[in-house]
């Protein structure tokens, strides 16, 4: 999904399997949106963390969930 967005936007990707877990991010500097498909069993922590990161910059949060 992120590769498609890279055509038109600056993208930062995280992946727990590659050692860069999203929940470990402290700051979303210059980000305008967080778009992700979190593990379903961790959806609430992902949503809460994304909202905390986006609140200072009034950014958008989109979660792909069931």
């Amino acid at each position: 999904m992120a590769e498609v967005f890279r055509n038109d936007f600056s993208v930062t990707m995280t992946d727990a399997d590659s050692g860069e877990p999203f929940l470990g991010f402290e700051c979303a500097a210059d980000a305008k949106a967080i778009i992700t498909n979190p593990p379903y069993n961790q959806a609430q922590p992902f949503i809460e963390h994304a909202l905390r990161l986006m609140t200072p910059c009034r950014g958008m949060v989109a979660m792909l969930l069931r």
Side-chain angles (χ1 to χ4, degrees):
M1 178 172 68
E3 293 300 327
V4 173
F5 284 121
R6 281 184 189 245
N7 294 330
D8 298 307
F9 303 99
S10 173
V11 174
T12 300
M13 293 186 296
T14 64
D15 188 342
D17 293 335
S18 68
E20 296 184 57
F22 170 70
L23 294 175
F25 268 66
E26 300 282 329
C27 165
D30 300 324
K32 305 239 187 299
I34 294 174
I35 304 168
T36 187
N37 58 332
Y40 295 130
N41 66 344
Q42 292 184 319
Q44 184 155 347
F46 268 67
I47 292 166
E48 291 170 355
H49 188 61
L51 290 172
R52 273 193 300 277
L53 292 173
M54 289 288 95
T55 296
C57 59
R58 299 179 55 108
M60 178 181 73
V61 172
M63 298 283 166
L64 305 172
L65 301 166
R66 294 184 220 181

Short mmCIF file of all heavy atoms in Angstrom, two decimals:
data_model
loop_
_atom_site.label_atom_id
_atom_site.label_comp_id
_atom_site.label_asym_id
_atom_site.label_seq_id
_atom_site.Cartn_x
_atom_site.Cartn_y
_atom_site.Cartn_z
N MET A 1 0.82 -1.18 0.00
CA MET A 1 0.00 0.00 0.00
C MET A 1 0.87 1.26 0.00
O MET A 1 0.61 2.18 -0.75
CB MET A 1 -0.92 -0.02 1.23
CG MET A 1 -1.79 1.19 1.35
SD MET A 1 -3.04 1.09 2.65
CE MET A 1 -2.05 1.11 4.12
N ALA A 2 1.91 1.28 0.82
CA ALA A 2 2.76 2.46 0.91
C ALA A 2 3.48 2.75 -0.40
O ALA A 2 3.68 3.90 -0.76
CB ALA A 2 3.77 2.29 2.04
N GLU A 3 3.84 1.70 -1.12
CA GLU A 3 4.54 1.90 -2.38
C GLU A 3 3.69 2.70 -3.37
O GLU A 3 4.20 3.51 -4.13
CB GLU A 3 4.96 0.56 -2.98
CG GLU A 3 6.02 -0.16 -2.18
CD GLU A 3 7.31 0.63 -2.04
OE1 GLU A 3 7.67 1.40 -2.96
OE2 GLU A 3 7.96 0.48 -0.99
N VAL A 4 2.40 2.48 -3.39
CA VAL A 4 1.50 3.21 -4.29
C VAL A 4 1.48 4.68 -3.90
O VAL A 4 1.55 5.57 -4.75
CB VAL A 4 0.08 2.61 -4.26
CG1 VAL A 4 -0.89 3.46 -5.05
CG2 VAL A 4 0.10 1.19 -4.79
N PHE A 5 1.40 4.97 -2.60
CA PHE A 5 1.38 6.36 -2.14
C PHE A 5 2.68 7.08 -2.46
O PHE A 5 2.70 8.29 -2.64
CB PHE A 5 1.11 6.43 -0.63
CG PHE A 5 -0.32 6.18 -0.27
CD1 PHE A 5 -0.65 5.12 0.58
CD2 PHE A 5 -1.34 6.97 -0.74
CE1 PHE A 5 -1.97 4.89 0.93
CE2 PHE A 5 -2.66 6.74 -0.40
CZ PHE A 5 -2.97 5.70 0.44
N ARG A 6 3.80 6.35 -2.51
CA ARG A 6 5.10 6.98 -2.79
C ARG A 6 5.13 7.68 -4.15
O ARG A 6 5.97 8.54 -4.38
CB ARG A 6 6.22 5.95 -2.74
CG ARG A 6 6.63 5.61 -1.35
CD ARG A 6 7.82 4.65 -1.39
NE ARG A 6 8.07 4.17 -0.07
CZ ARG A 6 9.18 4.43 0.61
NH1 ARG A 6 10.13 5.14 0.09
NH2 ARG A 6 9.32 3.96 1.83
N ASN A 7 4.24 7.31 -5.04
CA ASN A 7 4.21 7.96 -6.35
C ASN A 7 3.86 9.43 -6.25
O ASN A 7 4.29 10.23 -7.08
CB ASN A 7 3.21 7.26 -7.28
CG ASN A 7 3.63 5.85 -7.62
OD1 ASN A 7 4.81 5.54 -7.67
ND2 ASN A 7 2.66 4.98 -7.83
N ASP A 8 3.06 9.80 -5.24
CA ASP A 8 2.57 11.17 -5.13
C ASP A 8 2.87 11.85 -3.81
O ASP A 8 2.66 13.06 -3.69
CB ASP A 8 1.05 11.20 -5.36
CG ASP A 8 0.67 10.72 -6.75
OD1 ASP A 8 1.23 11.25 -7.72
OD2 ASP A 8 -0.15 9.80 -6.85
N PHE A 9 3.34 11.11 -2.82
CA PHE A 9 3.53 11.67 -1.48
C PHE A 9 4.84 11.20 -0.88
O PHE A 9 5.39 10.18 -1.27
CB PHE A 9 2.39 11.21 -0.54
CG PHE A 9 1.02 11.56 -1.05
CD1 PHE A 9 0.25 10.62 -1.71
CD2 PHE A 9 0.50 12.82 -0.86
CE1 PHE A 9 -1.02 10.92 -2.17
CE2 PHE A 9 -0.77 13.15 -1.31
CZ PHE A 9 -1.53 12.20 -1.98
N SER A 10 5.32 11.95 0.11
CA SER A 10 6.44 11.49 0.91
C SER A 10 5.90 10.49 1.93
O SER A 10 4.94 10.79 2.64
CB SER A 10 7.08 12.68 1.63
OG SER A 10 8.05 12.24 2.52
N VAL A 11 6.49 9.30 2.00
CA VAL A 11 5.95 8.22 2.81
C VAL A 11 7.02 7.70 3.76
O VAL A 11 8.16 7.50 3.38
CB VAL A 11 5.46 7.06 1.91
CG1 VAL A 11 5.03 5.87 2.74
CG2 VAL A 11 4.33 7.52 1.01
N THR A 12 6.61 7.48 5.02
CA THR A 12 7.44 6.79 5.99
C THR A 12 6.73 5.49 6.32
O THR A 12 5.56 5.51 6.71
CB THR A 12 7.62 7.62 7.28
OG1 THR A 12 8.25 8.85 6.94
CG2 THR A 12 8.46 6.87 8.29
N MET A 13 7.41 4.38 6.16
CA MET A 13 6.80 3.08 6.44
C MET A 13 7.36 2.51 7.73
O MET A 13 8.53 2.72 8.04
CB MET A 13 7.08 2.10 5.30
CG MET A 13 6.42 2.46 4.01
SD MET A 13 6.62 1.20 2.72
CE MET A 13 8.39 1.21 2.47
N THR A 14 6.52 1.82 8.47
CA THR A 14 6.97 1.09 9.65
C THR A 14 6.45 -0.33 9.53
O THR A 14 5.44 -0.58 8.88
CB THR A 14 6.46 1.71 10.96
OG1 THR A 14 5.05 1.61 11.01
CG2 THR A 14 6.88 3.16 11.10
N ASP A 15 7.16 -1.23 10.16
CA ASP A 15 6.75 -2.62 10.14
C ASP A 15 7.38 -3.31 11.34
O ASP A 15 8.60 -3.32 11.48
CB ASP A 15 7.20 -3.29 8.85
CG ASP A 15 6.64 -4.69 8.68
OD1 ASP A 15 6.19 -5.29 9.68
OD2 ASP A 15 6.65 -5.18 7.55
N ALA A 16 6.55 -3.85 12.20
CA ALA A 16 7.06 -4.53 13.39
C ALA A 16 8.00 -5.66 13.01
O ALA A 16 8.98 -5.93 13.72
CB ALA A 16 5.91 -5.06 14.23
N ASP A 17 7.75 -6.33 11.89
CA ASP A 17 8.61 -7.44 11.46
C ASP A 17 9.99 -6.98 11.06
O ASP A 17 10.95 -7.73 11.14
CB ASP A 17 7.96 -8.20 10.30
CG ASP A 17 6.69 -8.91 10.72
OD1 ASP A 17 6.55 -9.22 11.93
OD2 ASP A 17 5.84 -9.16 9.86
N SER A 18 10.14 -5.71 10.62
CA SER A 18 11.46 -5.22 10.21
C SER A 18 12.15 -4.44 11.33
O SER A 18 13.20 -3.86 11.12
CB SER A 18 11.32 -4.33 8.97
OG SER A 18 10.65 -3.13 9.30
N GLY A 19 11.55 -4.40 12.52
CA GLY A 19 12.19 -3.74 13.64
C GLY A 19 11.79 -2.29 13.83
O GLY A 19 12.36 -1.60 14.65
N GLU A 20 10.83 -1.79 13.08
CA GLU A 20 10.38 -0.41 13.22
C GLU A 20 8.89 -0.39 13.57
O GLU A 20 8.06 -0.08 12.74
CB GLU A 20 10.60 0.35 11.92
CG GLU A 20 12.04 0.50 11.53
CD GLU A 20 12.17 1.35 10.28
OE1 GLU A 20 11.69 2.50 10.30
OE2 GLU A 20 12.71 0.85 9.31
N PRO A 21 8.55 -0.70 14.79
CA PRO A 21 7.14 -0.75 15.16
C PRO A 21 6.50 0.63 15.25
O PRO A 21 7.09 1.56 15.79
CB PRO A 21 7.14 -1.46 16.50
CG PRO A 21 8.48 -1.19 17.08
CD PRO A 21 9.42 -1.08 15.90
N PHE A 22 5.31 0.78 14.73
CA PHE A 22 4.60 2.05 14.72
C PHE A 22 4.39 2.59 16.14
O PHE A 22 4.53 3.78 16.39
CB PHE A 22 3.24 1.88 14.02
CG PHE A 22 2.33 3.06 14.18
CD1 PHE A 22 2.62 4.26 13.55
CD2 PHE A 22 1.20 2.98 14.96
CE1 PHE A 22 1.80 5.36 13.70
CE2 PHE A 22 0.37 4.07 15.11
CZ PHE A 22 0.67 5.27 14.48
N LEU A 23 4.04 1.71 17.07
CA LEU A 23 3.76 2.16 18.43
C LEU A 23 4.99 2.73 19.13
O LEU A 23 4.87 3.38 20.16
CB LEU A 23 3.15 1.02 19.26
CG LEU A 23 1.77 0.56 18.79
CD1 LEU A 23 1.31 -0.65 19.60
CD2 LEU A 23 0.75 1.68 18.86
N GLY A 24 6.17 2.54 18.56
CA GLY A 24 7.40 3.11 19.12
C GLY A 24 7.70 4.52 18.65
O GLY A 24 8.60 5.17 19.18
N PHE A 25 6.97 5.02 17.67
CA PHE A 25 7.22 6.36 17.15
C PHE A 25 6.80 7.40 18.18
O PHE A 25 5.71 7.35 18.73
CB PHE A 25 6.44 6.59 15.85
CG PHE A 25 7.22 6.25 14.63
CD1 PHE A 25 7.59 4.95 14.37
CD2 PHE A 25 7.60 7.24 13.74
CE1 PHE A 25 8.32 4.62 13.25
CE2 PHE A 25 8.33 6.93 12.61
CZ PHE A 25 8.69 5.62 12.36
N GLU A 26 7.69 8.37 18.42
CA GLU A 26 7.42 9.43 19.38
C GLU A 26 6.88 10.68 18.71
O GLU A 26 6.28 11.52 19.36
CB GLU A 26 8.72 9.79 20.12
CG GLU A 26 9.32 8.64 20.88
CD GLU A 26 8.61 8.40 22.19
OE1 GLU A 26 8.10 9.37 22.77
OE2 GLU A 26 8.55 7.24 22.62
N CYS A 27 7.14 10.83 17.43
CA CYS A 27 6.83 12.07 16.75
C CYS A 27 6.49 11.78 15.29
O CYS A 27 7.04 10.87 14.69
CB CYS A 27 8.06 12.97 16.83
SG CYS A 27 8.07 14.36 15.72
N ALA A 28 5.58 12.57 14.75
CA ALA A 28 5.22 12.44 13.33
C ALA A 28 5.50 13.78 12.65
O ALA A 28 4.63 14.39 12.05
CB ALA A 28 3.77 12.04 13.19
N ALA A 29 6.74 14.24 12.78
CA ALA A 29 7.12 15.55 12.25
C ALA A 29 6.77 15.66 10.77
O ALA A 29 7.05 14.77 9.98
CB ALA A 29 8.60 15.77 12.46
N ASP A 30 6.14 16.75 10.42
CA ASP A 30 5.76 17.07 9.04
C ASP A 30 4.73 16.14 8.44
O ASP A 30 4.44 16.24 7.26
CB ASP A 30 7.00 17.13 8.14
CG ASP A 30 7.99 18.19 8.58
OD1 ASP A 30 7.54 19.25 9.06
OD2 ASP A 30 9.19 17.96 8.44
N ALA A 31 4.20 15.21 9.21
CA ALA A 31 3.19 14.30 8.66
C ALA A 31 1.84 15.01 8.59
O ALA A 31 1.49 15.79 9.45
CB ALA A 31 3.08 13.05 9.52
N LYS A 32 1.12 14.70 7.55
CA LYS A 32 -0.23 15.24 7.38
C LYS A 32 -1.29 14.16 7.61
O LYS A 32 -2.45 14.46 7.78
CB LYS A 32 -0.38 15.82 5.98
CG LYS A 32 0.67 16.85 5.62
CD LYS A 32 0.03 18.16 5.28
CE LYS A 32 0.99 19.19 4.76
NZ LYS A 32 2.03 19.58 5.60
N ALA A 33 -0.85 12.90 7.59
CA ALA A 33 -1.79 11.80 7.76
C ALA A 33 -1.06 10.53 8.19
O ALA A 33 0.11 10.35 7.88
CB ALA A 33 -2.54 11.53 6.46
N ILE A 34 -1.78 9.70 8.91
CA ILE A 34 -1.33 8.34 9.22
C ILE A 34 -2.39 7.41 8.66
O ILE A 34 -3.57 7.50 9.01
CB ILE A 34 -1.17 8.11 10.74
CG1 ILE A 34 -0.03 8.99 11.26
CG2 ILE A 34 -0.93 6.63 11.04
CD1 ILE A 34 0.13 8.95 12.77
N ILE A 35 -1.97 6.55 7.76
CA ILE A 35 -2.86 5.58 7.13
C ILE A 35 -2.24 4.21 7.34
O ILE A 35 -1.10 3.98 6.94
CB ILE A 35 -3.02 5.87 5.62
CG1 ILE A 35 -3.51 7.29 5.40
CG2 ILE A 35 -3.94 4.84 4.97
CD1 ILE A 35 -3.42 7.77 3.97
N THR A 36 -2.98 3.31 7.97
CA THR A 36 -2.40 2.01 8.28
C THR A 36 -3.46 0.93 8.39
O THR A 36 -4.64 1.23 8.54
CB THR A 36 -1.56 2.08 9.58
OG1 THR A 36 -0.87 0.85 9.76
CG2 THR A 36 -2.42 2.37 10.79
N ASN A 37 -3.02 -0.28 8.30
CA ASN A 37 -3.89 -1.43 8.58
C ASN A 37 -3.25 -2.20 9.74
O ASN A 37 -2.46 -3.10 9.54
CB ASN A 37 -4.08 -2.30 7.33
CG ASN A 37 -2.77 -2.81 6.78
OD1 ASN A 37 -1.73 -2.18 6.93
ND2 ASN A 37 -2.80 -3.95 6.13
N PRO A 38 -3.61 -1.79 10.96
CA PRO A 38 -2.98 -2.40 12.13
C PRO A 38 -3.42 -3.85 12.32
O PRO A 38 -4.46 -4.27 11.80
CB PRO A 38 -3.51 -1.54 13.28
CG PRO A 38 -4.82 -1.05 12.81
CD PRO A 38 -4.65 -0.84 11.32
N PRO A 39 -2.63 -4.60 13.09
CA PRO A 39 -3.09 -5.93 13.47
C PRO A 39 -4.42 -5.77 14.21
O PRO A 39 -4.56 -4.89 15.06
CB PRO A 39 -2.00 -6.45 14.41
CG PRO A 39 -0.83 -5.55 14.20
CD PRO A 39 -1.35 -4.26 13.69
N TYR A 40 -5.41 -6.58 13.87
CA TYR A 40 -6.74 -6.40 14.45
C TYR A 40 -6.74 -6.49 15.97
O TYR A 40 -7.50 -5.79 16.63
CB TYR A 40 -7.73 -7.39 13.85
CG TYR A 40 -7.95 -7.17 12.38
CD1 TYR A 40 -7.86 -8.20 11.48
CD2 TYR A 40 -8.23 -5.89 11.89
CE1 TYR A 40 -8.06 -7.98 10.12
CE2 TYR A 40 -8.42 -5.66 10.54
CZ TYR A 40 -8.33 -6.71 9.66
OH TYR A 40 -8.53 -6.49 8.32
N ASN A 41 -5.86 -7.30 16.53
CA ASN A 41 -5.83 -7.42 17.99
C ASN A 41 -5.15 -6.24 18.66
O ASN A 41 -5.12 -6.16 19.88
CB ASN A 41 -5.19 -8.74 18.42
CG ASN A 41 -3.73 -8.83 18.06
OD1 ASN A 41 -3.21 -8.06 17.24
ND2 ASN A 41 -3.05 -9.79 18.64
N GLN A 42 -4.59 -5.31 17.88
CA GLN A 42 -3.95 -4.11 18.43
C GLN A 42 -4.57 -2.84 17.85
O GLN A 42 -3.98 -1.77 17.93
CB GLN A 42 -2.46 -4.11 18.13
CG GLN A 42 -1.69 -5.18 18.86
CD GLN A 42 -0.21 -5.04 18.59
OE1 GLN A 42 0.21 -4.79 17.47
NE2 GLN A 42 0.58 -5.20 19.63
N ALA A 43 -5.76 -2.94 17.31
CA ALA A 43 -6.38 -1.79 16.65
C ALA A 43 -6.53 -0.60 17.59
O ALA A 43 -6.17 0.53 17.22
CB ALA A 43 -7.74 -2.17 16.07
N GLN A 44 -7.05 -0.81 18.77
CA GLN A 44 -7.28 0.33 19.67
C GLN A 44 -5.98 1.05 20.04
O GLN A 44 -5.93 2.28 19.95
CB GLN A 44 -8.04 -0.10 20.92
CG GLN A 44 -8.36 1.12 21.78
CD GLN A 44 -9.54 0.93 22.67
OE1 GLN A 44 -10.30 -0.01 22.52
NE2 GLN A 44 -9.70 1.84 23.60
N PRO A 45 -4.91 0.36 20.45
CA PRO A 45 -3.66 1.08 20.74
C PRO A 45 -3.13 1.83 19.51
O PRO A 45 -2.60 2.94 19.64
CB PRO A 45 -2.69 -0.01 21.18
CG PRO A 45 -3.53 -1.15 21.61
CD PRO A 45 -4.79 -1.06 20.81
N PHE A 46 -3.27 1.26 18.32
CA PHE A 46 -2.81 1.94 17.10
C PHE A 46 -3.62 3.21 16.87
O PHE A 46 -3.06 4.26 16.53
CB PHE A 46 -2.94 1.01 15.89
CG PHE A 46 -1.71 0.21 15.59
CD1 PHE A 46 -1.27 -0.77 16.46
CD2 PHE A 46 -0.98 0.44 14.43
CE1 PHE A 46 -0.13 -1.51 16.17
CE2 PHE A 46 0.15 -0.30 14.14
CZ PHE A 46 0.58 -1.28 15.02
N ILE A 47 -4.93 3.13 17.03
CA ILE A 47 -5.79 4.30 16.81
C ILE A 47 -5.44 5.40 17.81
O ILE A 47 -5.25 6.57 17.44
CB ILE A 47 -7.28 3.90 16.93
CG1 ILE A 47 -7.67 2.99 15.77
CG2 ILE A 47 -8.18 5.14 16.98
CD1 ILE A 47 -8.99 2.27 15.97
N GLU A 48 -5.33 5.04 19.08
CA GLU A 48 -5.03 6.03 20.11
C GLU A 48 -3.67 6.67 19.87
O GLU A 48 -3.52 7.89 20.02
CB GLU A 48 -5.10 5.39 21.49
CG GLU A 48 -6.52 5.01 21.87
CD GLU A 48 -6.62 4.17 23.13
OE1 GLU A 48 -5.58 3.78 23.70
OE2 GLU A 48 -7.76 3.89 23.55
N HIS A 49 -2.68 5.88 19.50
CA HIS A 49 -1.34 6.41 19.26
C HIS A 49 -1.33 7.33 18.03
O HIS A 49 -0.75 8.42 18.06
CB HIS A 49 -0.35 5.25 19.07
CG HIS A 49 1.07 5.68 19.00
ND1 HIS A 49 1.71 6.35 20.02
CD2 HIS A 49 1.99 5.55 18.00
CE1 HIS A 49 2.96 6.61 19.66
NE2 HIS A 49 3.15 6.14 18.44
N ALA A 50 -2.00 6.92 16.98
CA ALA A 50 -2.07 7.75 15.77
C ALA A 50 -2.75 9.09 16.06
O ALA A 50 -2.29 10.14 15.60
CB ALA A 50 -2.81 7.01 14.66
N LEU A 51 -3.82 9.06 16.83
CA LEU A 51 -4.51 10.30 17.18
C LEU A 51 -3.62 11.21 18.02
O LEU A 51 -3.59 12.43 17.81
CB LEU A 51 -5.82 10.00 17.92
CG LEU A 51 -6.91 9.38 17.05
CD1 LEU A 51 -8.08 8.93 17.92
CD2 LEU A 51 -7.37 10.34 15.97
N ARG A 52 -2.85 10.64 18.96
CA ARG A 52 -1.90 11.45 19.74
C ARG A 52 -0.85 12.10 18.84
O ARG A 52 -0.50 13.26 19.03
CB ARG A 52 -1.20 10.59 20.79
CG ARG A 52 -1.94 10.46 22.10
CD ARG A 52 -1.07 9.87 23.20
NE ARG A 52 -0.56 8.53 22.90
CZ ARG A 52 -1.24 7.41 23.08
NH1 ARG A 52 -2.46 7.44 23.57
NH2 ARG A 52 -0.71 6.24 22.78
N LEU A 53 -0.35 11.34 17.86
CA LEU A 53 0.67 11.88 16.96
C LEU A 53 0.12 12.97 16.05
O LEU A 53 0.82 13.93 15.72
CB LEU A 53 1.27 10.75 16.11
CG LEU A 53 2.13 9.72 16.84
CD1 LEU A 53 2.50 8.59 15.89
CD2 LEU A 53 3.37 10.35 17.44
N MET A 54 -1.12 12.84 15.62
CA MET A 54 -1.70 13.77 14.65
C MET A 54 -2.36 14.99 15.29
O MET A 54 -2.53 16.01 14.63
CB MET A 54 -2.72 13.06 13.76
CG MET A 54 -2.10 12.10 12.76
SD MET A 54 -1.21 12.94 11.42
CE MET A 54 0.46 12.92 12.04
N THR A 55 -2.70 14.93 16.55
CA THR A 55 -3.40 16.05 17.20
C THR A 55 -2.63 17.36 17.10
O THR A 55 -3.22 18.38 16.72
CB THR A 55 -3.74 15.70 18.66
OG1 THR A 55 -4.65 14.61 18.65
CG2 THR A 55 -4.36 16.88 19.39
N PRO A 56 -1.33 17.41 17.39
CA PRO A 56 -0.64 18.71 17.33
C PRO A 56 -0.65 19.36 15.95
O PRO A 56 -0.67 20.59 15.84
CB PRO A 56 0.80 18.38 17.75
CG PRO A 56 0.71 17.09 18.48
CD PRO A 56 -0.45 16.35 17.88
N CYS A 57 -0.64 18.58 14.90
CA CYS A 57 -0.60 19.14 13.54
C CYS A 57 -1.96 19.07 12.85
O CYS A 57 -2.07 19.38 11.66
CB CYS A 57 0.47 18.44 12.70
SG CYS A 57 0.23 16.68 12.52
N ARG A 58 -2.98 18.64 13.59
CA ARG A 58 -4.34 18.54 13.06
C ARG A 58 -4.39 17.67 11.81
O ARG A 58 -5.09 17.96 10.85
CB ARG A 58 -4.93 19.92 12.81
CG ARG A 58 -5.03 20.75 14.08
CD ARG A 58 -5.58 22.12 13.80
NE ARG A 58 -6.86 22.04 13.13
CZ ARG A 58 -8.02 22.33 13.67
NH1 ARG A 58 -8.07 22.71 14.91
NH2 ARG A 58 -9.14 22.24 12.98
N GLY A 59 -3.60 16.58 11.85
CA GLY A 59 -3.52 15.67 10.72
C GLY A 59 -4.66 14.66 10.71
O GLY A 59 -5.47 14.58 11.63
N MET A 60 -4.68 13.88 9.66
CA MET A 60 -5.73 12.89 9.43
C MET A 60 -5.25 11.50 9.85
O MET A 60 -4.08 11.17 9.71
CB MET A 60 -6.07 12.86 7.94
CG MET A 60 -7.12 11.85 7.57
SD MET A 60 -7.46 11.81 5.80
CE MET A 60 -6.00 11.02 5.18
N VAL A 61 -6.18 10.69 10.34
CA VAL A 61 -5.90 9.30 10.68
C VAL A 61 -6.91 8.43 9.93
O VAL A 61 -8.11 8.67 9.99
CB VAL A 61 -6.03 9.04 12.21
CG1 VAL A 61 -5.94 7.57 12.54
CG2 VAL A 61 -4.97 9.84 12.96
N ALA A 62 -6.40 7.43 9.22
CA ALA A 62 -7.25 6.47 8.52
C ALA A 62 -6.75 5.07 8.86
O ALA A 62 -5.57 4.76 8.70
CB ALA A 62 -7.21 6.69 7.01
N MET A 63 -7.65 4.24 9.36
CA MET A 63 -7.33 2.87 9.72
C MET A 63 -8.14 1.92 8.86
O MET A 63 -9.35 2.09 8.70
CB MET A 63 -7.66 2.60 11.20
CG MET A 63 -6.87 3.44 12.18
SD MET A 63 -5.23 2.78 12.35
CE MET A 63 -4.44 4.15 13.17
N LEU A 64 -7.48 0.94 8.30
CA LEU A 64 -8.15 -0.09 7.51
C LEU A 64 -8.45 -1.26 8.43
O LEU A 64 -7.56 -1.98 8.84
CB LEU A 64 -7.26 -0.52 6.35
CG LEU A 64 -6.79 0.61 5.45
CD1 LEU A 64 -5.77 0.11 4.46
CD2 LEU A 64 -7.96 1.24 4.74
N LEU A 65 -9.72 -1.39 8.80
CA LEU A 65 -10.15 -2.39 9.77
C LEU A 65 -11.34 -3.17 9.25
O LEU A 65 -11.95 -2.79 8.24
CB LEU A 65 -10.54 -1.71 11.09
CG LEU A 65 -9.44 -0.88 11.75
CD1 LEU A 65 -10.01 0.01 12.83
CD2 LEU A 65 -8.36 -1.79 12.30
N ARG A 66 -11.70 -4.22 9.95
CA ARG A 66 -12.88 -5.00 9.59
C ARG A 66 -14.12 -4.15 9.74
O ARG A 66 -14.27 -3.35 10.55
CB ARG A 66 -13.05 -6.21 10.49
CG ARG A 66 -11.97 -7.21 10.33
CD ARG A 66 -12.29 -8.40 11.20
NE ARG A 66 -11.05 -8.83 11.80
CZ ARG A 66 -10.94 -9.86 12.59
NH1 ARG A 66 -11.98 -10.54 12.91
NH2 ARG A 66 -9.78 -10.22 13.08
#
